[in-house]
Amino acid sequence: MEISANLKFNSVDATATPKRHKTAATSDTDGDQDQVMLTNSNAVQKALEQTPASRSDAVARARSLIADPSYPGPETTKQVAQLLADKLSQTE
């Protein structure tokens, strides 16, 4: 195995620049690949447009929970209060 350490420096302060290979000419198949990507993008865009802004079942559940005076319950309220108190004491 042979290792060439010659980086062809012009001076001590110069930087080494790697040789870059010229890229092959763009072929027709590259254009086809771009078109496929655009087609996939259009399919995703259509799916997003057909998705409703909100789920009616989730909205109905949220409305029923809001209407329930016992929601979220005393245990959950205590846990949230404790979490807030802990976070508040950490910032002081």
Side-chain angles (χ1 to χ4, degrees):
M1 175 168 81
E2 182 179 326
I3 298 174
S4 175
N6 185 1
L7 298 176
K8 297 183 181 180
F9 287 111
N10 293 333
S11 69
V12 174
D13 295 330
T15 58
T17 304
K19 291 184 181 180
R20 298 180 188 230
H21 300 286
K22 293 182 180 179
T23 57
T26 305
S27 65
D28 291 338
T29 58
D30 290 341
D32 293 341
Q33 186 177 11
D34 290 344
Q35 183 61 39
V36 170
M37 296 296 286
L38 181 60
T39 302
N40 290 341
S41 174
N42 289 338
V44 169
Q45 183 64 34
K46 282 184 181 181
L48 286 174
E49 289 170 359
Q50 293 173 351
T51 303
S54 62
R55 293 181 11 222
S56 59
D57 60 326
V59 171
R61 182 174 183 273
R63 285 187 177 152
S64 69
L65 289 173
I66 290 170
D68 183 1
S70 64
Y71 181 78
E75 187 57 36
T76 303
T77 305
K78 283 182 187 179
Q79 290 175 348
V80 170
Q82 185 62 52
L83 179 65
L84 290 173
D86 291 345
K87 293 293 181 182
L88 184 61
S89 67
Q90 289 176 1
T91 60
E92 293 177 358

PDB file of all heavy atoms in Angstrom, residues 29-63:
ATOM      1  N   THR A  29     -32.796  10.860 -18.554  1.00  0.00           N
ATOM      2  CA  THR A  29     -33.350  10.103 -17.430  1.00  0.00           C
ATOM      3  C   THR A  29     -33.395  10.959 -16.172  1.00  0.00           C
ATOM      4  O   THR A  29     -34.259  10.783 -15.350  1.00  0.00           O
ATOM      5  CB  THR A  29     -32.528   8.832 -17.154  1.00  0.00           C
ATOM      6  OG1 THR A  29     -31.174   9.209 -16.891  1.00  0.00           O
ATOM      7  CG2 THR A  29     -32.607   7.882 -18.323  1.00  0.00           C
ATOM      8  N   ASP A  30     -32.462  11.940 -16.041  1.00  0.00           N
ATOM      9  CA  ASP A  30     -32.505  12.825 -14.883  1.00  0.00           C
ATOM     10  C   ASP A  30     -33.775  13.662 -14.897  1.00  0.00           C
ATOM     11  O   ASP A  30     -34.400  13.885 -13.876  1.00  0.00           O
ATOM     12  CB  ASP A  30     -31.282  13.744 -14.854  1.00  0.00           C
ATOM     13  CG  ASP A  30     -30.002  12.981 -14.540  1.00  0.00           C
ATOM     14  OD1 ASP A  30     -30.113  11.865 -14.000  1.00  0.00           O
ATOM     15  OD2 ASP A  30     -28.920  13.500 -14.845  1.00  0.00           O
ATOM     16  N   GLY A  31     -34.192  14.122 -16.058  1.00  0.00           N
ATOM     17  CA  GLY A  31     -35.425  14.877 -16.182  1.00  0.00           C
ATOM     18  C   GLY A  31     -36.629  14.037 -15.803  1.00  0.00           C
ATOM     19  O   GLY A  31     -37.562  14.512 -15.169  1.00  0.00           O
ATOM     20  N   ASP A  32     -36.609  12.748 -16.168  1.00  0.00           N
ATOM     21  CA  ASP A  32     -37.710  11.854 -15.807  1.00  0.00           C
ATOM     22  C   ASP A  32     -37.784  11.676 -14.305  1.00  0.00           C
ATOM     23  O   ASP A  32     -38.869  11.641 -13.734  1.00  0.00           O
ATOM     24  CB  ASP A  32     -37.539  10.487 -16.479  1.00  0.00           C
ATOM     25  CG  ASP A  32     -37.685  10.566 -17.997  1.00  0.00           C
ATOM     26  OD1 ASP A  32     -38.262  11.561 -18.479  1.00  0.00           O
ATOM     27  OD2 ASP A  32     -37.214   9.640 -18.684  1.00  0.00           O
ATOM     28  N   GLN A  33     -36.643  11.563 -13.657  1.00  0.00           N
ATOM     29  CA  GLN A  33     -36.622  11.380 -12.213  1.00  0.00           C
ATOM     30  C   GLN A  33     -37.199  12.621 -11.524  1.00  0.00           C
ATOM     31  O   GLN A  33     -37.958  12.516 -10.575  1.00  0.00           O
ATOM     32  CB  GLN A  33     -35.210  11.115 -11.719  1.00  0.00           C
ATOM     33  CG  GLN A  33     -35.166  10.783 -10.242  1.00  0.00           C
ATOM     34  CD  GLN A  33     -33.766  10.445  -9.781  1.00  0.00           C
ATOM     35  OE1 GLN A  33     -32.804  10.641 -10.503  1.00  0.00           O
ATOM     36  NE2 GLN A  33     -33.654   9.959  -8.583  1.00  0.00           N
ATOM     37  N   ASP A  34     -36.864  13.814 -12.039  1.00  0.00           N
ATOM     38  CA  ASP A  34     -37.429  15.035 -11.478  1.00  0.00           C
ATOM     39  C   ASP A  34     -38.945  15.040 -11.632  1.00  0.00           C
ATOM     40  O   ASP A  34     -39.657  15.469 -10.745  1.00  0.00           O
ATOM     41  CB  ASP A  34     -36.843  16.273 -12.157  1.00  0.00           C
ATOM     42  CG  ASP A  34     -35.381  16.495 -11.787  1.00  0.00           C
ATOM     43  OD1 ASP A  34     -34.933  15.894 -10.803  1.00  0.00           O
ATOM     44  OD2 ASP A  34     -34.710  17.259 -12.497  1.00  0.00           O
ATOM     45  N   GLN A  35     -39.429  14.561 -12.720  1.00  0.00           N
ATOM     46  CA  GLN A  35     -40.863  14.511 -12.957  1.00  0.00           C
ATOM     47  C   GLN A  35     -41.538  13.562 -11.982  1.00  0.00           C
ATOM     48  O   GLN A  35     -42.598  13.862 -11.472  1.00  0.00           O
ATOM     49  CB  GLN A  35     -41.166  14.081 -14.408  1.00  0.00           C
ATOM     50  CG  GLN A  35     -42.645  14.078 -14.751  1.00  0.00           C
ATOM     51  CD  GLN A  35     -43.280  15.446 -14.627  1.00  0.00           C
ATOM     52  OE1 GLN A  35     -42.677  16.446 -14.984  1.00  0.00           O
ATOM     53  NE2 GLN A  35     -44.488  15.497 -14.112  1.00  0.00           N
ATOM     54  N   VAL A  36     -40.900  12.422 -11.689  1.00  0.00           N
ATOM     55  CA  VAL A  36     -41.455  11.470 -10.729  1.00  0.00           C
ATOM     56  C   VAL A  36     -41.545  12.125  -9.363  1.00  0.00           C
ATOM     57  O   VAL A  36     -42.546  12.000  -8.677  1.00  0.00           O
ATOM     58  CB  VAL A  36     -40.592  10.188 -10.669  1.00  0.00           C
ATOM     59  CG1 VAL A  36     -41.008   9.305  -9.517  1.00  0.00           C
ATOM     60  CG2 VAL A  36     -40.709   9.430 -11.981  1.00  0.00           C
ATOM     61  N   MET A  37     -40.507  12.853  -8.967  1.00  0.00           N
ATOM     62  CA  MET A  37     -40.524  13.537  -7.685  1.00  0.00           C
ATOM     63  C   MET A  37     -41.662  14.545  -7.635  1.00  0.00           C
ATOM     64  O   MET A  37     -42.353  14.667  -6.646  1.00  0.00           O
ATOM     65  CB  MET A  37     -39.186  14.237  -7.439  1.00  0.00           C
ATOM     66  CG  MET A  37     -38.003  13.290  -7.324  1.00  0.00           C
ATOM     67  SD  MET A  37     -38.140  12.202  -5.909  1.00  0.00           S
ATOM     68  CE  MET A  37     -37.764  13.372  -4.628  1.00  0.00           C
ATOM     69  N   LEU A  38     -41.888  15.268  -8.724  1.00  0.00           N
ATOM     70  CA  LEU A  38     -42.963  16.246  -8.787  1.00  0.00           C
ATOM     71  C   LEU A  38     -44.315  15.544  -8.697  1.00  0.00           C
ATOM     72  O   LEU A  38     -45.213  16.010  -8.000  1.00  0.00           O
ATOM     73  CB  LEU A  38     -42.853  17.055 -10.079  1.00  0.00           C
ATOM     74  CG  LEU A  38     -43.906  18.143 -10.269  1.00  0.00           C
ATOM     75  CD1 LEU A  38     -43.823  19.162  -9.143  1.00  0.00           C
ATOM     76  CD2 LEU A  38     -43.719  18.825 -11.601  1.00  0.00           C
ATOM     77  N   THR A  39     -44.445  14.396  -9.328  1.00  0.00           N
ATOM     78  CA  THR A  39     -45.694  13.640  -9.282  1.00  0.00           C
ATOM     79  C   THR A  39     -45.973  13.180  -7.864  1.00  0.00           C
ATOM     80  O   THR A  39     -47.093  13.294  -7.372  1.00  0.00           O
ATOM     81  CB  THR A  39     -45.617  12.423 -10.223  1.00  0.00           C
ATOM     82  OG1 THR A  39     -45.353  12.892 -11.535  1.00  0.00           O
ATOM     83  CG2 THR A  39     -46.902  11.647 -10.216  1.00  0.00           C
ATOM     84  N   ASN A  40     -44.969  12.673  -7.172  1.00  0.00           N
ATOM     85  CA  ASN A  40     -45.144  12.257  -5.782  1.00  0.00           C
ATOM     86  C   ASN A  40     -45.540  13.441  -4.911  1.00  0.00           C
ATOM     87  O   ASN A  40     -46.374  13.324  -4.022  1.00  0.00           O
ATOM     88  CB  ASN A  40     -43.873  11.616  -5.252  1.00  0.00           C
ATOM     89  CG  ASN A  40     -43.603  10.261  -5.881  1.00  0.00           C
ATOM     90  OD1 ASN A  40     -44.508   9.652  -6.438  1.00  0.00           O
ATOM     91  ND2 ASN A  40     -42.376   9.820  -5.809  1.00  0.00           N
ATOM     92  N   SER A  41     -44.952  14.578  -5.161  1.00  0.00           N
ATOM     93  CA  SER A  41     -45.261  15.787  -4.414  1.00  0.00           C
ATOM     94  C   SER A  41     -46.714  16.192  -4.645  1.00  0.00           C
ATOM     95  O   SER A  41     -47.403  16.597  -3.719  1.00  0.00           O
ATOM     96  CB  SER A  41     -44.320  16.907  -4.850  1.00  0.00           C
ATOM     97  OG  SER A  41     -44.680  18.122  -4.257  1.00  0.00           O
ATOM     98  N   ASN A  42     -47.177  16.070  -5.870  1.00  0.00           N
ATOM     99  CA  ASN A  42     -48.573  16.405  -6.172  1.00  0.00           C
ATOM    100  C   ASN A  42     -49.530  15.464  -5.454  1.00  0.00           C
ATOM    101  O   ASN A  42     -50.592  15.893  -4.989  1.00  0.00           O
ATOM    102  CB  ASN A  42     -48.822  16.359  -7.680  1.00  0.00           C
ATOM    103  CG  ASN A  42     -48.161  17.507  -8.412  1.00  0.00           C
ATOM    104  OD1 ASN A  42     -47.871  18.545  -7.819  1.00  0.00           O
ATOM    105  ND2 ASN A  42     -47.905  17.329  -9.693  1.00  0.00           N
ATOM    106  N   ALA A  43     -49.190  14.201  -5.349  1.00  0.00           N
ATOM    107  CA  ALA A  43     -50.046  13.238  -4.654  1.00  0.00           C
ATOM    108  C   ALA A  43     -50.154  13.585  -3.176  1.00  0.00           C
ATOM    109  O   ALA A  43     -51.244  13.518  -2.591  1.00  0.00           O
ATOM    110  CB  ALA A  43     -49.496  11.821  -4.839  1.00  0.00           C
ATOM    111  N   VAL A  44     -49.049  13.982  -2.575  1.00  0.00           N
ATOM    112  CA  VAL A  44     -49.068  14.374  -1.167  1.00  0.00           C
ATOM    113  C   VAL A  44     -49.911  15.635  -0.993  1.00  0.00           C
ATOM    114  O   VAL A  44     -50.711  15.743  -0.068  1.00  0.00           O
ATOM    115  CB  VAL A  44     -47.626  14.605  -0.638  1.00  0.00           C
ATOM    116  CG1 VAL A  44     -47.639  15.256   0.728  1.00  0.00           C
ATOM    117  CG2 VAL A  44     -46.867  13.305  -0.616  1.00  0.00           C
ATOM    118  N   GLN A  45     -49.763  16.582  -1.905  1.00  0.00           N
ATOM    119  CA  GLN A  45     -50.533  17.821  -1.831  1.00  0.00           C
ATOM    120  C   GLN A  45     -52.026  17.532  -1.933  1.00  0.00           C
ATOM    121  O   GLN A  45     -52.818  18.080  -1.177  1.00  0.00           O
ATOM    122  CB  GLN A  45     -50.095  18.790  -2.940  1.00  0.00           C
ATOM    123  CG  GLN A  45     -50.807  20.126  -2.877  1.00  0.00           C
ATOM    124  CD  GLN A  45     -50.496  20.897  -1.611  1.00  0.00           C
ATOM    125  OE1 GLN A  45     -49.391  20.834  -1.086  1.00  0.00           O
ATOM    126  NE2 GLN A  45     -51.472  21.638  -1.111  1.00  0.00           N
ATOM    127  N   LYS A  46     -52.430  16.635  -2.841  1.00  0.00           N
ATOM    128  CA  LYS A  46     -53.840  16.273  -2.979  1.00  0.00           C
ATOM    129  C   LYS A  46     -54.366  15.616  -1.708  1.00  0.00           C
ATOM    130  O   LYS A  46     -55.478  15.889  -1.266  1.00  0.00           O
ATOM    131  CB  LYS A  46     -54.049  15.335  -4.169  1.00  0.00           C
ATOM    132  CG  LYS A  46     -54.050  16.032  -5.495  1.00  0.00           C
ATOM    133  CD  LYS A  46     -54.354  15.045  -6.605  1.00  0.00           C
ATOM    134  CE  LYS A  46     -54.345  15.732  -7.949  1.00  0.00           C
ATOM    135  NZ  LYS A  46     -54.661  14.811  -9.039  1.00  0.00           N
ATOM    136  N   ALA A  47     -53.573  14.726  -1.121  1.00  0.00           N
ATOM    137  CA  ALA A  47     -53.985  14.056   0.120  1.00  0.00           C
ATOM    138  C   ALA A  47     -54.181  15.073   1.240  1.00  0.00           C
ATOM    139  O   ALA A  47     -55.133  14.973   2.016  1.00  0.00           O
ATOM    140  CB  ALA A  47     -52.953  13.005   0.515  1.00  0.00           C
ATOM    141  N   LEU A  48     -53.301  16.056   1.317  1.00  0.00           N
ATOM    142  CA  LEU A  48     -53.439  17.092   2.341  1.00  0.00           C
ATOM    143  C   LEU A  48     -54.686  17.928   2.124  1.00  0.00           C
ATOM    144  O   LEU A  48     -55.379  18.294   3.066  1.00  0.00           O
ATOM    145  CB  LEU A  48     -52.201  17.989   2.355  1.00  0.00           C
ATOM    146  CG  LEU A  48     -50.950  17.389   2.961  1.00  0.00           C
ATOM    147  CD1 LEU A  48     -49.764  18.336   2.769  1.00  0.00           C
ATOM    148  CD2 LEU A  48     -51.150  17.112   4.430  1.00  0.00           C
ATOM    149  N   GLU A  49     -54.973  18.227   0.878  1.00  0.00           N
ATOM    150  CA  GLU A  49     -56.163  19.016   0.571  1.00  0.00           C
ATOM    151  C   GLU A  49     -57.447  18.258   0.895  1.00  0.00           C
ATOM    152  O   GLU A  49     -58.453  18.862   1.250  1.00  0.00           O
ATOM    153  CB  GLU A  49     -56.152  19.431  -0.899  1.00  0.00           C
ATOM    154  CG  GLU A  49     -55.089  20.479  -1.215  1.00  0.00           C
ATOM    155  CD  GLU A  49     -54.916  20.708  -2.710  1.00  0.00           C
ATOM    156  OE1 GLU A  49     -55.608  20.048  -3.515  1.00  0.00           O
ATOM    157  OE2 GLU A  49     -54.085  21.557  -3.073  1.00  0.00           O
ATOM    158  N   GLN A  50     -57.431  16.939   0.795  1.00  0.00           N
ATOM    159  CA  GLN A  50     -58.620  16.140   1.052  1.00  0.00           C
ATOM    160  C   GLN A  50     -58.788  15.807   2.532  1.00  0.00           C
ATOM    161  O   GLN A  50     -59.831  15.306   2.935  1.00  0.00           O
ATOM    162  CB  GLN A  50     -58.580  14.850   0.229  1.00  0.00           C
ATOM    163  CG  GLN A  50     -58.683  15.110  -1.264  1.00  0.00           C
ATOM    164  CD  GLN A  50     -58.485  13.852  -2.089  1.00  0.00           C
ATOM    165  OE1 GLN A  50     -58.104  12.818  -1.558  1.00  0.00           O
ATOM    166  NE2 GLN A  50     -58.718  13.950  -3.383  1.00  0.00           N
ATOM    167  N   THR A  51     -57.788  16.092   3.344  1.00  0.00           N
ATOM    168  CA  THR A  51     -57.868  15.821   4.772  1.00  0.00           C
ATOM    169  C   THR A  51     -58.648  16.940   5.439  1.00  0.00           C
ATOM    170  O   THR A  51     -58.352  18.117   5.229  1.00  0.00           O
ATOM    171  CB  THR A  51     -56.458  15.741   5.384  1.00  0.00           C
ATOM    172  OG1 THR A  51     -55.719  14.741   4.697  1.00  0.00           O
ATOM    173  CG2 THR A  51     -56.503  15.423   6.859  1.00  0.00           C
ATOM    174  N   PRO A  52     -59.657  16.608   6.242  1.00  0.00           N
ATOM    175  CA  PRO A  52     -60.429  17.675   6.895  1.00  0.00           C
ATOM    176  C   PRO A  52     -59.565  18.447   7.898  1.00  0.00           C
ATOM    177  O   PRO A  52     -58.624  17.912   8.472  1.00  0.00           O
ATOM    178  CB  PRO A  52     -61.557  16.924   7.607  1.00  0.00           C
ATOM    179  CG  PRO A  52     -61.100  15.516   7.716  1.00  0.00           C
ATOM    180  CD  PRO A  52     -60.153  15.279   6.584  1.00  0.00           C
ATOM    181  N   ALA A  53     -59.916  19.709   8.104  1.00  0.00           N
ATOM    182  CA  ALA A  53     -59.156  20.566   9.015  1.00  0.00           C
ATOM    183  C   ALA A  53     -59.275  20.069  10.454  1.00  0.00           C
ATOM    184  O   ALA A  53     -58.369  20.264  11.254  1.00  0.00           O
ATOM    185  CB  ALA A  53     -59.637  21.998   8.905  1.00  0.00           C
ATOM    186  N   SER A  54     -60.394  19.446  10.791  1.00  0.00           N
ATOM    187  CA  SER A  54     -60.561  18.893  12.127  1.00  0.00           C
ATOM    188  C   SER A  54     -61.336  17.591  12.043  1.00  0.00           C
ATOM    189  O   SER A  54     -62.084  17.365  11.100  1.00  0.00           O
ATOM    190  CB  SER A  54     -61.298  19.886  13.034  1.00  0.00           C
ATOM    191  OG  SER A  54     -62.587  20.127  12.518  1.00  0.00           O
ATOM    192  N   ARG A  55     -61.118  16.742  13.038  1.00  0.00           N
ATOM    193  CA  ARG A  55     -61.838  15.471  13.099  1.00  0.00           C
ATOM    194  C   ARG A  55     -63.102  15.679  13.909  1.00  0.00           C
ATOM    195  O   ARG A  55     -63.050  16.081  15.073  1.00  0.00           O
ATOM    196  CB  ARG A  55     -60.958  14.410  13.735  1.00  0.00           C
ATOM    197  CG  ARG A  55     -59.764  14.045  12.882  1.00  0.00           C
ATOM    198  CD  ARG A  55     -58.888  12.965  13.477  1.00  0.00           C
ATOM    199  NE  ARG A  55     -59.434  12.286  14.614  1.00  0.00           N
ATOM    200  CZ  ARG A  55     -58.728  11.974  15.698  1.00  0.00           C
ATOM    201  NH1 ARG A  55     -57.463  12.311  15.774  1.00  0.00           N
ATOM    202  NH2 ARG A  55     -59.289  11.322  16.700  1.00  0.00           N
ATOM    203  N   SER A  56     -64.239  15.412  13.307  1.00  0.00           N
ATOM    204  CA  SER A  56     -65.509  15.664  13.979  1.00  0.00           C
ATOM    205  C   SER A  56     -65.656  14.832  15.246  1.00  0.00           C
ATOM    206  O   SER A  56     -66.227  15.300  16.236  1.00  0.00           O
ATOM    207  CB  SER A  56     -66.673  15.421  13.024  1.00  0.00           C
ATOM    208  OG  SER A  56     -66.646  14.090  12.550  1.00  0.00           O
ATOM    209  N   ASP A  57     -65.119  13.603  15.269  1.00  0.00           N
ATOM    210  CA  ASP A  57     -65.217  12.777  16.474  1.00  0.00           C
ATOM    211  C   ASP A  57     -64.399  13.365  17.628  1.00  0.00           C
ATOM    212  O   ASP A  57     -64.830  13.367  18.781  1.00  0.00           O
ATOM    213  CB  ASP A  57     -64.796  11.336  16.186  1.00  0.00           C
ATOM    214  CG  ASP A  57     -63.356  11.222  15.693  1.00  0.00           C
ATOM    215  OD1 ASP A  57     -62.881  12.134  14.982  1.00  0.00           O
ATOM    216  OD2 ASP A  57     -62.710  10.208  16.011  1.00  0.00           O
ATOM    217  N   ALA A  58     -63.234  13.913  17.320  1.00  0.00           N
ATOM    218  CA  ALA A  58     -62.397  14.520  18.355  1.00  0.00           C
ATOM    219  C   ALA A  58     -63.027  15.812  18.870  1.00  0.00           C
ATOM    220  O   ALA A  58     -62.972  16.097  20.076  1.00  0.00           O
ATOM    221  CB  ALA A  58     -61.003  14.790  17.817  1.00  0.00           C
ATOM    222  N   VAL A  59     -63.636  16.565  17.972  1.00  0.00           N
ATOM    223  CA  VAL A  59     -64.297  17.802  18.381  1.00  0.00           C
ATOM    224  C   VAL A  59     -65.482  17.482  19.289  1.00  0.00           C
ATOM    225  O   VAL A  59     -65.692  18.129  20.322  1.00  0.00           O
ATOM    226  CB  VAL A  59     -64.736  18.621  17.149  1.00  0.00           C
ATOM    227  CG1 VAL A  59     -65.610  19.796  17.557  1.00  0.00           C
ATOM    228  CG2 VAL A  59     -63.522  19.100  16.365  1.00  0.00           C
ATOM    229  N   ALA A  60     -66.261  16.472  18.932  1.00  0.00           N
ATOM    230  CA  ALA A  60     -67.419  16.079  19.753  1.00  0.00           C
ATOM    231  C   ALA A  60     -66.964  15.614  21.139  1.00  0.00           C
ATOM    232  O   ALA A  60     -67.587  15.970  22.152  1.00  0.00           O
ATOM    233  CB  ALA A  60     -68.209  14.980  19.051  1.00  0.00           C
ATOM    234  N   ARG A  61     -65.908  14.858  21.216  1.00  0.00           N
ATOM    235  CA  ARG A  61     -65.393  14.395  22.513  1.00  0.00           C
ATOM    236  C   ARG A  61     -64.910  15.572  23.356  1.00  0.00           C
ATOM    237  O   ARG A  61     -65.199  15.651  24.552  1.00  0.00           O
ATOM    238  CB  ARG A  61     -64.257  13.394  22.311  1.00  0.00           C
ATOM    239  CG  ARG A  61     -63.707  12.848  23.616  1.00  0.00           C
ATOM    240  CD  ARG A  61     -62.670  11.736  23.369  1.00  0.00           C
ATOM    241  NE  ARG A  61     -62.225  11.183  24.621  1.00  0.00           N
ATOM    242  CZ  ARG A  61     -61.214  11.662  25.352  1.00  0.00           C
ATOM    243  NH1 ARG A  61     -60.537  12.715  24.939  1.00  0.00           N
ATOM    244  NH2 ARG A  61     -60.869  11.096  26.492  1.00  0.00           N
ATOM    245  N   ALA A  62     -64.210  16.507  22.742  1.00  0.00           N
ATOM    246  CA  ALA A  62     -63.723  17.688  23.460  1.00  0.00           C
ATOM    247  C   ALA A  62     -64.889  18.511  23.995  1.00  0.00           C
ATOM    248  O   ALA A  62     -64.857  18.977  25.138  1.00  0.00           O
ATOM    249  CB  ALA A  62     -62.845  18.537  22.556  1.00  0.00           C
ATOM    250  N   ARG A  63     -65.920  18.673  23.185  1.00  0.00           N
ATOM    251  CA  ARG A  63     -67.085  19.432  23.636  1.00  0.00           C
ATOM    252  C   ARG A  63     -67.765  18.755  24.824  1.00  0.00           C
ATOM    253  O   ARG A  63     -68.192  19.430  25.765  1.00  0.00           O
ATOM    254  CB  ARG A  63     -68.070  19.600  22.486  1.00  0.00           C
ATOM    255  CG  ARG A  63     -67.600  20.641  21.491  1.00  0.00           C
ATOM    256  CD  ARG A  63     -68.642  20.930  20.442  1.00  0.00           C
ATOM    257  NE  ARG A  63     -68.161  21.983  19.574  1.00  0.00           N
ATOM    258  CZ  ARG A  63     -68.501  22.134  18.326  1.00  0.00           C
ATOM    259  NH1 ARG A  63     -69.375  21.295  17.783  1.00  0.00           N
ATOM    260  NH2 ARG A  63     -68.020  23.123  17.619  1.00  0.00           N
TER     261      ARG A  63
END
